[in-house]
Amino acid sequence: IEDQFQQGKIIRIEHLDQMPLEAAQARAIYEKDQTKSNLLLPLQVMGNIIGFIGYDTIFKTKHWQDEDITMLQICNEIVTSALLRNEAE
């Protein structure tokens, strides 16, 4: 998962069973929080990854539609812009 992040890829986890073995520690945290599904979107500035925002479901698993991801990416861009403005001030 970390490699995917470094490449700026979106990580869709519709069910925790889809997580690779090397993500066992993250899976344990999700299970403790009762997370069912997770979507991780990178925060990028000029092609550099500065972090990520995760969107979780806790009541039922979710198939992340492309439309969901598009809307959430717009939210990420707004957050990234706000962070950059705040740093510039």
Side-chain angles (χ1 to χ4, degrees):
I1 290 179
E2 189 173 324
D3 290 340
Q4 292 175 330
F5 249 150
Q6 295 302 323
Q7 296 171 20
K9 293 185 178 178
I10 294 169
I11 299 171
R12 296 183 204 203
I13 302 168
E14 295 178 6
H15 194 280
L16 297 184
D17 290 339
Q18 295 175 322
M19 296 181 74
L21 292 176
E22 62 268 11
Q25 185 176 7
R27 180 179 174 164
I29 293 168
Y30 291 144
E31 288 174 341
K32 183 179 178 206
D33 293 340
Q34 299 181 350
T35 297
K36 305 294 185 216
S37 299
N38 189 276
L39 177 70
L40 303 171
L41 299 176
L43 294 172
Q44 297 185 41
V45 174
M46 300 175 79
N48 295 315
I49 308 300
I50 62 167
F52 70 91
I53 294 181
Y55 299 91
D56 302 341
T57 64
I58 57 171
F59 296 112
K60 61 181 180 176
T61 59
K62 177 168 179 55
H63 172 72
W64 299 98
Q65 301 288 334
D66 290 339
E67 296 82 20
D68 298 329
I69 293 171
T70 298
M71 295 301 284
L72 293 171
Q73 283 179 309
I74 292 168
C75 294
N76 272 26
E77 290 171 13
I78 292 168
V79 169
T80 302
S81 294
L83 290 171
L84 291 173
R85 273 195 310 276
N86 190 40
E87 278 187 21
E89 293 176 356

